[in-house]
Amino acid sequence: MLDARGTGVPVILHFGADLGATDPAELEAIADSLCPPVGPSSIDSPLRQSLLPLLADGWSGRPGISGHVEGAASAALSFTLAELDATDDAITVVLENAALRVVISLELSTHGVLRQRLAVSNHGTLPFSLASLDATVPLPDRASELLDFTGRWPRERQPQRREIQHGTWSRESRHGRPGHDAAFLTVAGTPGFGFRSGEIWGSHLAWSGDQHIWLESSATGHTTLGAGELLGAGEIRLEPGATYESPWLVSAYSADGLDALTARLHGFVRSRRALSPRKVMLNTWEAVYFAHDESRLIELADAAADLGVERFVLDDGWMLGRTDDKRALGDWVVDPIKWPRGLHPLVDHVVARGMDFGLWVEPEMISLDSEVARAHPEWVLAADGAGMPLPWRFQQAIDLANPLAYEHVRDQLVALLDEYPIAYLKWDQNRDLLGGSAHRQTTATYRLMDELRARFPGLEIESCSSGGGRVDLGVIERTDRVWPSDTNDSLERQSIYRWTSSLVPPEFLGVHLGAPTAHTTGRTHELSFRLATALFGHAGIEWDVTSTTADERDAISSWIGVYKRYRALLHSGTVVRDDPSDPARWVHGVVAADAASALFSVVAMAATRDAIPAPARFAGLDPERSYRVEPLRLGEWPRVLNDAPPPWWSEGGLTLSGRALAVTGVPMPLFTPEQALVLSVTAV
Ligand code: DGJ
């Protein structure tokens, strides 16, 4: 709710629960009632939080915009309201001063998700150097606990919590990508909020480059969440007539904890990106790494097709001289030694076996040991000036903001897409930039993705960044899958899925069945745990399935059958998670939009606390309907320690109302650590 009366910057009166007020007189009454007192030792008028917090309006917290007109005397930026345009679901506010025009766009989706973006234009006569332009939302006093995320390769999106106290909590990325430690989703809420309870406000910056998201709790009593691109000194210098546009800040409110916030965010993402059924894929990376050999990969493709795989993705190792990760990035041509007949024999075979073909690329990067770097050393990002950035995975970034470098990369990718029936690009990005302009590199990357998608309609793109270093709604606007992590360790993946799905719908979240012993952790898991974990998300395999036993292959192909049977539900339903009393046992699931069916998983993350575990409760179903609950066998049944299982287990299932399933629940066996049970739930 905005108060745009008068000539000042509009004030945000309320962001949260629906006030129900539609009639102008009532809106006016609410607006009038919210005028605060004038505080002691303060400006002489009521201090309220505007859409663009400014010093000039008495706001001594973080400003919504900062910068300076070059060559002019330094002065606090101030604006007046020039125009306002409002429809049912969008508001555009135009603010002006003598040199600048700021346009603030607000959109409220039918799911209750607010998107907000700002644009600043220079209509003065001198250049304007922009330091920051942040979208902000106010938070009420009762939002006193903060949840956001951190992580590392390959353990992304781990939650962290703290009490909100006076001061600023600022999460900043200078990685040139959000990073493995990205704040990801910032949620403030009432104390102890969980998946199913608490009043919360959550925000995410839809941007794939440098950024900051901050929460400032001021001694005035105001708490503000703000976010925008983190700009380097001089990075955005607006000549007269030029405009800079900020990324979208995406925010939502929930009265019922994280699951309800997630439902809103998923509804919003799904309304913008409708995906085709998510094909089961096999990715070659952990099966063969760089050891590309035509007959070996054809054998792998055959094994994949026999299992029911629908897409075969050739990962890194196919380009000119790419024998390891020290060379060949930037030379997007097929290696004639490893692939004397090009990729045709493999691609033809894949297509003949009824699968489509995907190819790994890393278009934003360059190896110094490459044809392109030898010919154009000046295309290495930030190769001039202060010197070349430190190498990272033995590579550098190619300066995509340089039109010639951009054209080189684009033309090589176009040539590949013209030559081969490539349905899917796994688009990797494996380093922090550490130099150059992250703004220019990020916008050029978006442009390249957009250009390829426009030129090759139907082309799907997976966003990978050393695993989950770039999982954000900016990249999801133009990609069809994100690779949440390089770990295929199911235990790690349970937690990565649980938290990443807070923002990103499961159909975008790649998850692969890996080898028994995970390459990234050395942990070994039984097939049943790996299959149960890899069912939730966009499923695939990353394992040399030519080396599997007949029993393993049977289990994998029946798991693929289960995935195909349930993917429409898994990729359109509502994500449900429990607030566990025993932190070692988690419940998560997806409930169909019409609540007629669901798939749940009960997961022992470690040794659980009690000898007789509490019943697992299944939320989100229709309390008035009756449901049949049946365990699904994926590989072997999960290991248990009971002398006798609960009776329903021996009877192959039970029938209960949605209310009873949510309130009294279903007794569970005592699972040994790192086991998961999948249950199908169907209305009867
Ligand atoms: C990092 C990715 O995250 C992996 O999945 C794989 O594609 C390698 N790069 C290839 O170099």
Side-chain angles (χ1 to χ4, degrees):
M1 187 175 175
L2 284 184
D3 187 351
R5 299 173 298 181
T7 55
V9 180
V11 166
I12 309 175
L13 292 178
H14 171 71
F15 171 56
D18 186 354
L19 292 173
T22 47
D23 115 44
E26 195 177 351
L27 285 173
E28 187 116 13
I30 297 172
D32 288 342
S33 74
L34 286 174
C35 182
V38 175
S41 184
S42 79
I43 55 168
D44 298 333
S45 49
L47 178 66
R48 304 196 299 172
Q49 186 177 333
S50 85
L51 259 184
L52 191 69
L54 293 168
L55 262 185
D57 294 331
W59 185 262
S60 47
R62 281 205 183 202
I65 182 169
S66 60
H68 71 282
V69 177
E70 290 179 14
S74 133
L77 290 172
S78 71
F79 293 89
T80 52
L81 180 61
E83 284 169 43
L84 184 120
D85 183 43
T87 62
D88 279 352
D89 51 13
I91 299 176
T92 307
V93 173
V94 181
L95 307 171
E96 271 181 1
N97 64 24
L100 302 173
R101 179 180 165 95
V102 174
V103 179
I104 307 177
S105 308
L106 301 128
E107 294 174 10
L108 192 61
S109 81
T110 49
H111 316 93
V113 169
L114 175 72
R115 312 206 281 173
Q116 193 183 344
R117 155 167 100 178
L118 297 86
V120 57
S121 312
N122 183 359
H123 61 85
T125 51
L126 298 167
F128 177 70
S129 183
L130 179 69
S132 67
L133 184 65
D134 292 349
T136 55
V137 284
L139 295 170
D141 59 325
R142 61 193 183 282
S144 58
E145 198 169 298
L146 178 68
L147 162 74
D148 65 8
F149 296 85
T150 182
R152 62 159 169 84
W153 180 86
R155 188 168 159 74
E156 296 86 343
R157 285 166 298 286
Q158 300 302 311
Q160 52 179 7
R161 282 196 182 231
R162 69 202 60 245
E163 189 190 340
I164 297 173
Q165 294 180 325
H166 287 169
T168 302
W169 174 249
S170 182
R171 300 295 309 281
E172 305 183 348
S173 165
R174 291 179 183 78
H175 301 295
R177 50 181 174 173
H180 297 93
D181 60 345
F184 184 56
L185 181 66
T186 303
V187 183
T190 48
F193 68 84
F195 287 113
R196 308 291 305 173
S197 68
E199 227 191 333
I200 59 174
W201 291 256
S203 295
H204 165 83
L205 190 74
W207 183 244
S208 307
D210 287 356
Q211 56 192 273
H212 63 174
I213 185 156
W214 47 269
L215 187 144
E216 181 172 24
S217 169
S218 145
T220 58
H222 296 87
T223 302
T224 312
L225 182 138
E229 204 177 352
L230 190 62
L231 300 172
E235 191 171 13
I236 301 292
R237 184 170 180 270
L238 296 178
E239 295 293 341
T243 297
Y244 165 85
E245 196 165 64
S246 79
W248 289 101
L249 177 66
V250 174
S251 305
Y253 162 79
S254 156
D256 303 303
L258 273 169
D259 277 357
L261 185 87
T262 290
R264 290 191 163 189
L265 293 167
H266 286 187
F268 167 75
V269 175
R270 285 170 171 161
S271 71
R272 303 186 56 76
R273 296 300 323 279
L275 300 178
S276 55
R278 304 289 71 212
K279 297 190 171 182
V280 186
M281 61 169 62
L282 183 137
N283 176 292
T284 60
W285 180 239
E286 288 193 353
V288 301
Y289 290 104
F290 293 103
H292 284 201
D293 171 79
E294 184 185 296
S295 57
R296 169 116 181 64
L297 283 156
I298 286 179
E299 197 193 340
L300 187 58
D302 272 332
D306 291 345
L307 292 169
V309 167
E310 298 162 305
R311 172 172 291 158
F312 186 86
V313 181
L314 184 67
D315 209 280
D316 195 357
W318 57 269
M319 313 92 71
L320 193 65
R322 180 78 168 166
T323 46
D324 58 21
D325 52 7
K326 297 190 174 59
R327 62 206 87 244
L329 297 173
D331 292 342
W332 304 109
V333 289
V334 178
D335 183 62
I337 296 173
K338 291 188 194 174
W339 297 97
R341 299 187 286 163
L343 298 176
H344 288 290
L346 175 66
V347 177
D348 292 349
H349 196 80
V350 163
V351 171
R353 291 298 316 263
M355 299 183 287
D356 66 27
F357 182 75
L359 189 65
W360 176 94
V361 289
E362 197 178 352
E364 300 152 69
M365 296 295 153
I366 187 166
S367 304
L368 295 187
D369 184 0
S370 65
E371 299 292 312
V372 63
R374 278 184 282 275
H376 294 284
E378 75 282 9
W379 288 357
V380 174
L381 184 70
D384 51 358
M388 199 174 296
L390 289 171
W392 181 303
R393 204 196 186 203
F394 318 106
Q395 66 194 52
Q396 294 287 345
I398 189 166
D399 183 3
L400 288 180
N402 175 329
L404 297 176
Y406 178 96
E407 278 163 27
H408 161 82
V409 176
R410 182 203 53 205
D411 292 350
Q412 287 199 329
L413 295 179
V414 166
L416 284 163
L417 291 161
D418 278 340
E419 182 170 358
Y420 299 103
I422 295 170
Y424 182 89
L425 288 179
K426 176 177 173 184
W427 186 301
D428 210 344
Q429 195 276 23
N430 283 306
R431 67 160 291 157
D432 284 9
L433 296 185
L434 306 180
S437 163
H439 172 77
R440 283 195 284 279
Q441 187 75 354
T442 307
T443 46
T445 301
Y446 282 176
R447 186 153 38 90
L448 184 56
M449 288 179 172
D450 293 344
E451 196 179 334
L452 292 175
R453 276 158 43 88
R455 191 147 171 178
F456 299 93
L459 173 71
E460 290 190 20
I461 301 180
E462 172 178 13
S463 165
C464 173
S465 180
S466 329
R470 186 157 73 185
V471 178
D472 63 80
L473 296 188
V475 87
I476 283 177
E477 285 282 316
R478 37 189 61 84
T479 54
D480 308 86
R481 189 192 212 228
V482 291
W483 185 229
S485 179
D486 268 348
T487 188
N488 292 315
D489 176 320
S490 299
L491 193 67
E492 300 297 336
R493 277 309 190 108
Q494 284 286 345
S495 130
I496 290 168
Y497 169 80
R498 189 174 183 82
W499 295 109
T500 309
S501 65
S502 293
L503 171 70
V504 183
E507 59 271 27
F508 289 90
L509 299 176
V511 56
H512 291 171
L513 171 68
T517 299
H519 294 199
T520 51
T521 60
R523 243 188 229 129
T524 299
H525 288 123
E526 279 154 308
L527 184 58
S528 62
F529 186 52
R530 284 146 54 220
L531 293 174
T533 304
L535 192 60
F536 290 85
H538 176 189
I541 300 174
E542 194 174 334
W543 179 17
D544 179 7
V545 283
T546 61
S547 66
T548 48
T549 65
D551 284 351
E552 285 172 328
R553 284 196 293 280
D554 283 350
I556 298 168
S557 64
S558 85
W559 165 77
I560 289 178
V562 169
Y563 170 78
K564 289 177 180 170
R565 190 156 76 245
Y566 285 99
R567 70 179 147 193
L569 155 67
L570 287 167
H571 297 165
S572 65
T574 307
V575 167
V576 173
R577 293 152 295 185
D578 69 328
D579 291 306
S581 59
D582 177 353
R585 199 192 67 188
W586 293 358
V587 176
H588 69 91
V590 181
V591 177
D594 62 2
S597 57
L599 217 53
F600 277 95
S601 187
V602 182
V603 188
M605 294 293 292
T608 54
R609 187 183 55 205
D610 304 321
I612 301 172
R617 298 187 298 148
F618 303 104
L621 299 161
D622 182 346
E624 306 305 330
R625 283 162 100 169
S626 206
Y627 292 91
R628 181 75 189 155
V629 180
E630 288 178 354
L632 278 178
R633 181 172 167 159
L634 299 172
E636 293 302 315
W637 291 111
R639 268 175 209 273
V640 299
L641 275 180
N642 301 126
D643 290 341
W648 70 267
W649 179 274
S650 319
E651 289 155 14
L654 84 175
T655 303
L656 271 182
S657 70
R659 178 171 285 110
L661 285 167
V663 177
T664 50
V666 179
M668 282 293 137
L670 174 56
F671 297 117
T672 62
E674 298 168 18
Q675 304 288 322
L677 174 68
V678 175
L679 294 149
S680 85
V681 178
T682 316
V684 291

